[in-house]
């Protein structure tokens, strides 16, 4: 699988300590399993990779020649526990996130999800597939989570 | 009996350097030492070896030495203080005592305050004391103006101004608060002079406590000082002296009171009493760090546990313990825990502590400032993501994105603009609802360990411009003769 990475994106990866191989793995896994979000035009995908201490996301686009272009990558250390309140509730029209769960071909919705880190649990916005329940966190939210993580990490500061 | 290590110590009678051992018996840690002339001395230093060793495990620091030592190594530790070249630790806080006088006459006082005005150092002397800090210690420099009661001096505002002129980065005032409470003009001048924080003696939340130590009702005065500092935007650290049969039963209430006064109150710094009595048996009021922490756990209904206190970034793992906690609707969310392992720091002890003194204990939190207030847009997932996905990674989510949804359509629970208790609120809370609870175990001649004092980062400045590690400065033998305080010469060696 060919993944194009612009210089700009490459330096973003470096600055944030991502290895190109791990991002490639996440995209390959998403492409083979179909576990990814896609935007309304099918031009942007988000894939998620879970490891013990980190959840990493790759934002990428398909190119005409069958290759992919990596747009961005981000990660959070917090664990996503599940939907706030536990159950899904009714899906309203304006819950639509603008993203579709590729595997279920189902419109994903905005939902609060509980995220915990170092004994503290709080809700935050996630994008959830109503069918398979897969949860994705967006890059913008991750910025907030990162700050909260570093506050909690004062334990190790 | 199992020996842990040997210790360099002092004879409680003659202050000669003697060797001793640290050993464990029945799960307790003791120091035993023997003077050829005055016999053998055994002192309990921790009632729980597990906690004692856990604190050591959690302690891992880098060190930096002072910029320029001011004395030579001659007779060996602890007789060459000033700082001497063999001292292993830079200054984190320099204490400048500007008077011996005090208006309280406490039943207990390690500063040995009197009412004699003639010994007050003049302005030139004080300037040289500040300059000694500048020449000896690395930047930034933190000074605590202390005494006696410094507010007995009418020229205190000029002294603070002078400290700033000399280039001291952070100047805090150690006070009982009485003059600040009643003299607004004086307080205004202290503020105008540039005071950075108030280190307020605060032994309890009830007048019973103050009556016992001072014969005066002082609680309203303490509250008024905090009120004034709140209006002036000056941070306050509450400093309770702690002893059994005195205020140990109130430590939880003190923390609770402090938590209601954040962010003006930045921290509570408990100082267990240390003694220079005839024998350790006489020190019934003495409280070890662990005993204090256990009381805090009990009195906060387990919200702040013993394990939430990690070794302070101080000389050794046994010099102090610190808990950083957030206050959330009257509840505590402690951020520190010994189970997290060693506190690892890229900067050295003094530097880190100075940062803490200057930041957390001040009216602001520089560590957290780059974060600034979390923007609503950070949580507007679509807005930020749309930007990223349209291959414009660098563009800020705060710019007006095309395809975004307005705040009104964000579900109630996920909007940071309505108090949701989410992570954005958490961040905001951490900047304004942050309390540092710490304690420091001063050494006395019974518990004295050379290793601790060699690494001491709190230094008292003498009038002849020397810097003396705090525990050496206040150390006396069992007859009350000081090693350094009120002395120009050293006792205990050849004389």
């Amino acid at each position: 699988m060919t993944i194009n990475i612009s210089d700009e994106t490459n330096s973003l990866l470096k600055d944030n300590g991502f290895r190109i191989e791990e991002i490639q793995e996440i995209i390959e896994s998403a492409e083979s399993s179909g576990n990814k979000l896609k935007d309304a035009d099918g031009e942007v995908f988000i894939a998620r990779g879970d490891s013990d201490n980190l959840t990493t996301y790759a934002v990428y686009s398909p190119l005409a020649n069958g290759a992919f272009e990596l747009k961005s990558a981000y990660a959070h250390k917090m664990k996503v526990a599940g939907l706030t309140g536990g159950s899904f509730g009714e899906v309203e029209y304006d819950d639509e996130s603008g993203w579709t769960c590729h595997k279920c071909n189902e419109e994903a919705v905005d939902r609060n999800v509980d995220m915990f880190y170092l004994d503290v649990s709080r809700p935050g916005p996630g994008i959830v597939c109503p069918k398979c329940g897969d949860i994705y966190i967006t890059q913008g939210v991750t910025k907030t989570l990162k700050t909260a993580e570093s506050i909690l990490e004062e334990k190790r500061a | 009996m199992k020996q842990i290590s040997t210790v360099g110590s002092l004879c409680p009678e003659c202050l000669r350097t003697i060797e001793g051992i640290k050993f464990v018996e029945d799960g307790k840690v003791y120091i035993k030492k023997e003077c050829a002339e005055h016999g053998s001395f055994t002192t309990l230093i921790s009632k729980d070896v597990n906690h004692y060793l856990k604190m050591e495990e959690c302690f891992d620091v880098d060190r930096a030495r002072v910029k320029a030592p001011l004395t030579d190594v001659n007779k060996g530790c602890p007789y060459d203080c000033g700082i001497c070249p063999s001292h292993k630790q830079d200054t984190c806080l320099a204490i400048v005592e500007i008077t011996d006088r005090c208006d309280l006459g406490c039943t207990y006082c390690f500063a040995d305050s009197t009412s004699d005005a003639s010994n007050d150092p003049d302005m030139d002397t004080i300037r040289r004391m500040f300059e000694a800090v500048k020449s000896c210690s690395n930047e930034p420099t933190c000074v605590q103006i202390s005494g006696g009661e410094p507010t007995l001096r009418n020229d205190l505002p000029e002294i603070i101004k002078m400290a700033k002129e000399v280039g001291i980065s952070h100047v805090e005032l150690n006070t009982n608060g009485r003059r600040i409470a009643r003299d607004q003009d004086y307080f205004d001048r202290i503020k105008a002079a540039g005071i950075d924080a108030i280190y307020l003696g605060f032994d309890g939340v009830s007048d019973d406590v103050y009556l016992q130590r001072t014969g005066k009702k002082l609680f309203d005065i303490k509250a008024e000082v905090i009120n004034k500092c709140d209006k002036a935007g000056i941070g306050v650290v509450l400093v309770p002296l702690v002893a059994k049969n005195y205020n140990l039963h109130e430590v939880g209430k003190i923390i609770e009171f402090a938590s209601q006064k954040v962010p003006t109150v930045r921290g509570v710094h408990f100082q267990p009493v240390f003694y220079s009595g005839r024998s350790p048996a006489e020190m019934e009021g003495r409280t070890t760090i662990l005993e204090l922490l256990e009381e805090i756990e009990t009195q906060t209904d387990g919200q702040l546990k013993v394990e939430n206190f990690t070794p302070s970034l101080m000389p050794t793992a046994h010099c102090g313990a610190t808990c950083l906690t957030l206050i959330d609707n009257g509840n505590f969310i402690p951020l520190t825990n010994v189970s997290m392992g060693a506190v690892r720091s890229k900067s050295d002890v003094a530097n880190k502590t100075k940062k803490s003194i200057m930041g957390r204990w001040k009216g602001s939190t520089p560590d957290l400032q780059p974060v600034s207030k979390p923007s609503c847009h950070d949580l507007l997932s679509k807005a930020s993501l749309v930007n990223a996905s349209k291959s414009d990674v660098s563009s800020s989510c705060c710019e007006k994105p095309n395809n975004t949804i307005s705040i009104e359509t964000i579900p109630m629970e996920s909007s940071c603009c309505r108090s949701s208790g989410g992570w954005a609120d958490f961040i905001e809370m951490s900047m304004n609802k942050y309390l540092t609870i710490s304690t420091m175990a001063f050494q006395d001649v019974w518990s004295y360990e050379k290793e601790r004092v060699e690494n001491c980062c709190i230094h008292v400045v003498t009038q002849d411009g020397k810097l003396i590690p705090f525990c050496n400065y206040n150390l006396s033998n069992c007859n009350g003769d000081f090693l350094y305080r009120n002395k120009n010469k050293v006792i205990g060696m050849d004389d």
Side-chain angles (χ1 to χ4, degrees):
Chain A
M1 181 181 293
T2 310
I3 296 172
N4 296 349
I5 300 174
S6 67
D7 290 349
E8 197 186 344
T9 306
N10 198 27
S11 68
L12 174 125
L13 294 185
K14 271 191 191 148
D15 291 350
N16 293 287
F18 294 118
R19 287 182 301 111
I20 289 173
E21 302 80 57
E22 70 180 334
I23 300 297
Q24 176 138 5
E25 225 168 83
I26 288 168
I27 294 175
E28 280 172 1
S29 158
E31 286 305 310
S32 67
S33 69
N35 287 329
K36 60 180 180 181
L37 289 180
K38 65 177 178 203
D39 74 346
D41 304 329
E43 285 173 6
V44 181
F45 300 138
I46 301 178
R48 193 188 70 231
D50 300 308
S51 68
D52 279 356
N53 303 314
L54 202 66
T55 306
T56 309
Y57 297 86
V59 183
Y60 62 105
S61 296
L63 299 175
N65 60 4
F68 296 93
E69 186 190 359
L70 182 66
K71 303 271 189 182
S72 182
Y74 57 93
H76 56 80
K77 297 184 201 168
M78 291 190 189
K79 290 269 183 236
V80 176
L83 286 167
T84 303
S87 62
F88 210 88
E90 211 163 300
V91 178
E92 309 271 344
Y93 165 73
D94 61 4
D95 289 346
E96 287 174 4
S97 65
W99 294 93
T100 303
C101 173
H102 179 80
K103 190 178 60 182
C104 305
N105 200 22
E106 185 86 18
E107 185 86 356
V109 296
D110 289 326
R111 277 288 180 278
N112 269 336
V113 296
D114 285 334
M115 293 177 256
F116 66 95
Y117 188 56
L118 300 177
D119 297 338
V120 176
S121 176
R122 296 270 162 153
I127 297 176
V128 188
C129 171
K131 202 166 169 188
C132 67
D134 262 7
I135 297 171
Y136 295 78
I137 306 297
T138 63
Q139 186 158 17
V141 173
T142 305
K143 284 179 194 162
T144 305
L145 299 186
K146 228 177 187 160
T147 305
E149 283 163 2
S150 60
I151 290 167
L152 287 166
E153 280 164 11
E154 182 122 33
K155 295 172 182 192
R156 289 175 177 280
Chain B
M1 176 179 130
K2 184 185 157 218
Q3 181 173 333
I4 305 179
S5 63
T6 58
V7 289
S9 193
L10 298 172
C11 171
E13 291 273 350
C14 63
L15 296 184
R16 276 195 188 90
T17 52
I18 54 175
E19 288 294 310
I21 57 162
K22 201 181 281 183
F23 68 93
V24 182
E25 198 169 85
D26 296 334
K28 296 173 179 163
V29 186
Y30 297 86
I31 286 179
K32 184 180 183 182
K33 53 192 176 182
E34 196 157 337
C35 172
E37 195 175 332
H38 298 103
S40 158
F41 306 88
T42 303
T43 307
L44 173 73
I45 54 171
S46 173
K47 62 171 196 168
D48 181 356
V49 64
N50 292 329
H51 182 259
Y52 190 83
L53 296 177
K54 186 86 199 164
M55 292 298 263
E56 283 185 1
E57 270 172 38
C58 283
F59 191 71
D60 181 12
V61 294
D62 296 330
R63 297 190 183 280
R65 293 185 179 233
V66 294
K67 188 168 68 185
L70 300 175
T71 58
D72 296 323
V73 174
N74 184 17
K75 295 174 171 178
C77 192
Y79 308 115
D80 300 321
C81 288
I83 294 293
C84 83
S86 68
H87 196 74
K88 295 172 180 167
Q89 180 59 56
D90 186 24
T91 315
C92 64
L93 182 68
I95 297 173
V96 173
E97 297 183 348
I98 60 167
T99 182
D100 280 343
R101 292 174 292 140
C102 183
D103 56 347
L104 274 185
C106 297
T107 49
Y108 174 85
C109 178
F110 66 75
D112 197 27
S113 291
T114 60
S115 55
D116 183 2
S118 60
N119 285 332
D120 283 8
D122 60 21
M123 290 298 271
D124 284 343
T125 305
I126 296 171
R127 176 180 289 272
R128 282 196 300 275
M129 292 162 87
F130 290 143
E131 285 168 351
V133 177
K134 285 293 283 186
S135 62
C136 180
S137 313
N138 291 297
E139 294 295 325
T141 45
C142 298
V143 159
Q144 180 181 100
I145 295 177
S146 186
E149 172 50 47
T151 61
L152 291 188
R153 286 186 69 140
N154 291 325
D155 57 0
L156 175 61
E158 286 71 41
I159 291 170
I160 294 166
K161 216 175 285 172
M162 188 168 72
K164 293 282 179 178
E165 281 163 17
V166 168
I168 304 296
S169 322
H170 171 95
V171 182
E172 63 184 38
L173 175 66
N174 185 349
T175 178
N176 62 35
R178 293 176 82 200
R179 179 149 185 195
I180 289 177
R182 68 167 186 267
D183 190 342
Q184 182 67 45
D185 174 62
Y186 188 74
F187 180 62
D188 288 343
R189 289 195 292 130
I190 288 173
K191 187 193 175 212
I195 195 71
D196 293 296
I198 302 289
Y199 200 73
L200 181 67
F202 191 94
D203 288 358
V205 293
S206 66
D207 277 329
D208 293 350
V209 167
Y210 297 104
L211 280 168
Q212 190 183 334
R213 185 175 171 203
T214 68
K216 298 177 182 70
K217 294 182 176 178
L218 295 176
F219 179 70
D220 288 348
I221 286 169
K222 307 292 182 184
E224 175 59 16
V225 173
I226 295 166
N227 190 24
K228 279 197 161 79
C229 288
D230 180 38
K231 284 180 189 144
I234 296 173
V236 180
V237 179
L238 305 183
V239 188
L241 176 112
V242 187
K244 287 172 192 159
N245 307 322
Y246 176 49
N247 62 350
L248 189 57
H249 63 281
E250 268 196 25
V251 293
K253 282 184 184 153
I254 293 171
I255 292 171
E256 189 190 330
F257 175 84
S259 74
Q260 292 159 3
K261 301 291 180 185
V262 291
T264 297
V265 170
R266 311 298 304 172
V268 183
H269 186 62
F270 291 104
Q271 295 186 332
V273 288
F274 62 109
Y275 282 93
S276 300
R278 282 294 306 169
S279 77
E282 286 174 26
M283 309 176 199
E284 26 179 64
R286 183 186 185 140
T287 309
T288 64
I289 288 183
L290 181 57
E291 285 171 315
L292 171 65
L293 303 187
E294 284 172 348
E295 283 296 328
I296 289 174
E297 176 165 340
T298 306
Q299 294 177 33
T300 59
D301 296 325
Q303 287 198 61
L304 299 175
K305 296 187 170 58
V306 172
E307 67 199 43
N308 292 126
F309 287 80
T310 55
S312 304
L313 289 167
M314 283 277 131
T316 72
H318 308 301
C319 290
T322 301
C323 169
L324 310 176
T325 181
L326 302 177
I327 320 283
D328 182 21
N329 277 328
N331 296 315
F332 295 100
I333 303 178
L335 298 177
T336 40
N337 195 309
V338 286
S339 69
M340 300 302 297
V343 173
R344 292 185 194 282
S345 162
K346 283 204 178 83
S347 57
D348 68 278
V349 174
N351 216 329
K352 184 87 181 167
T353 305
K354 281 190 282 201
K355 203 174 129 201
S356 164
I357 291 170
M358 295 172 71
R360 207 163 290 133
W361 288 7
K362 214 170 179 171
S364 65
T365 51
D367 331 25
L368 298 176
Q369 264 171 6
V371 171
S372 84
K373 222 177 135 176
S375 148
C376 290
H377 295 283
D378 285 352
L379 282 190
L380 293 187
S381 46
K382 276 190 192 169
S384 45
L385 188 68
V386 164
N387 270 352
S389 65
K390 295 301 175 194
S391 76
D392 190 6
V393 176
S394 62
S395 103
S396 156
C397 60
C398 295
E399 287 167 22
K400 223 184 208 163
N402 300 324
N403 184 20
T404 184
I405 36 176
S406 67
I407 290 168
E408 284 70 32
T409 64
I410 295 280
M412 191 71 147
E413 314 86 286
S414 68
S415 167
C416 60
C417 299
R418 304 166 195 161
S419 52
S420 67
W423 284 105
D425 281 0
F426 175 86
I427 293 164
E428 190 164 355
M429 170 183 78
S430 72
M431 285 182 279
N432 298 314
K433 300 277 185 183
Y434 199 100
L435 191 66
T436 304
I437 302 161
S438 52
T439 176
M440 201 181 290
F442 296 123
Q443 299 197 80
D444 53 38
V445 75
W446 307 101
S447 63
Y448 191 90
E449 287 177 60
K450 185 179 150 201
E451 189 208 341
R452 285 178 61 183
V453 89
E454 278 176 340
N455 289 304
C456 181
C457 67
I458 299 178
H459 302 153
V460 181
V461 187
T462 59
Q463 293 188 17
D464 58 353
K466 288 179 177 163
L467 275 69
I468 318 279
F470 186 90
C471 287
N472 276 352
Y473 187 75
N474 287 299
L475 189 79
S476 72
N477 67 12
C478 61
N479 300 312
D481 296 325
F482 284 104
L483 182 62
Y484 282 102
R485 182 181 279 281
N486 306 337
K487 285 250 187 317
N488 287 320
K489 65 171 196 162
V490 170
I491 59 163
M493 274 298 280
D494 304 314
D495 39 3

